[in-house]
Amino acid sequence: MPPNLQPVFRALGDPTRRDILRMLGQEPMTVAQVSDQFDMTRAAVKKHLVMLSDGGLIHVERRGRETINSLNAAALKPAFDWLGWFDQFWEDRLAALQIAIEKDISNDTGHNHD
Amino acid sequence: MPPNLQPVFRALGDPTRRDILRMLGQEPMTVAQVSDQFDMTRAAVKKHLVMLSDGGLIHVERRGRETINSLNAAALKPAFDWLGWFDQFWEDRLAALQIAIEKDISNDTGHNHD
DNA sequence: TTTATGTGATACTAAATGGTATTATGTCAA
DNA sequence: TTGACATAATACCATTTAGTATCACATAAA
């Protein structure tokens, strides 16, 4: 069965939640650490975290009296792939990714980039 | 200035609107043609079209008594790129695109893969 | 000109969203 | 054990959202 895109795109519809995802992409954080970054109450941030968890975009683990929120990036892949369908309409569609791939290839050949 | 992601991700948060975008990716359609594909009133579909237009995701042109809605795929690119940041967490992240690029490279070197 | 058609605009409703404030609960530390 | 701390849960509120129904308007067709 195909992954359910709806909760993922729903979660991405809010800028606070997108920011949280980027933050958790750097490192796992407690609820307090996340909410310290925003000008809103901890309860409000917590609700965003619940939505992200419901959509499977983050993993939540209770450790003692604090809970660690960590990114589950795999859940974003289907949304990325969905948007990738429109790739056919973009001129420079492979530009950014091609750079990364060429780097891999040059690594294979032993070239040095430092 | 960076493109404003918010109206784009907002628009993508609804399944009807995502379906409309895919449909318009096939061909431009009038309001009636679009709403015929959904089990809701024309007014409801029209509101979705307005949101898509507000976010710059479609182009709307009045021709006589009908209005042609066409995809503006370029507006989706920033959302795709935003999600592409998480690319670093995906294992098979470049698989599909890498095939296409390797074909380009082999074309450059004159290799033949047929 | 009349009539039918495609659309836009408005008012309305129920439910979801994004936020606050408050209270309760479990856990670490002195 | 007491107190501070991190979090969870709940109730509440204003706004937005997603839908309906209805009416007005411009345009194509008879």
Side-chain angles (χ1 to χ4, degrees), chain B residues 30-62:
Chain B
T30 67
V31 177
Q33 285 175 319
V34 173
S35 55
D36 280 352
Q37 304 297 317
F38 297 97
D39 187 24
M40 67 181 71
T41 64
R42 194 168 300 188
V45 170
K46 168 62 179 174
K47 287 217 262 182
H48 285 303
L49 289 170
V50 168
M51 285 196 203
L52 289 170
S53 175
D54 287 348
L57 284 80
I58 65 173
H59 176 239
V60 179
E61 183 187 7
R62 184 107 206 205

Side-chain angles (χ1 to χ4, degrees), chain A residues 50-62:
Chain A
V50 168
M51 285 197 204
L52 289 170
S53 175
D54 287 347
L57 285 82
I58 66 174
H59 176 238
V60 178
E61 183 186 7
R62 185 105 206 206

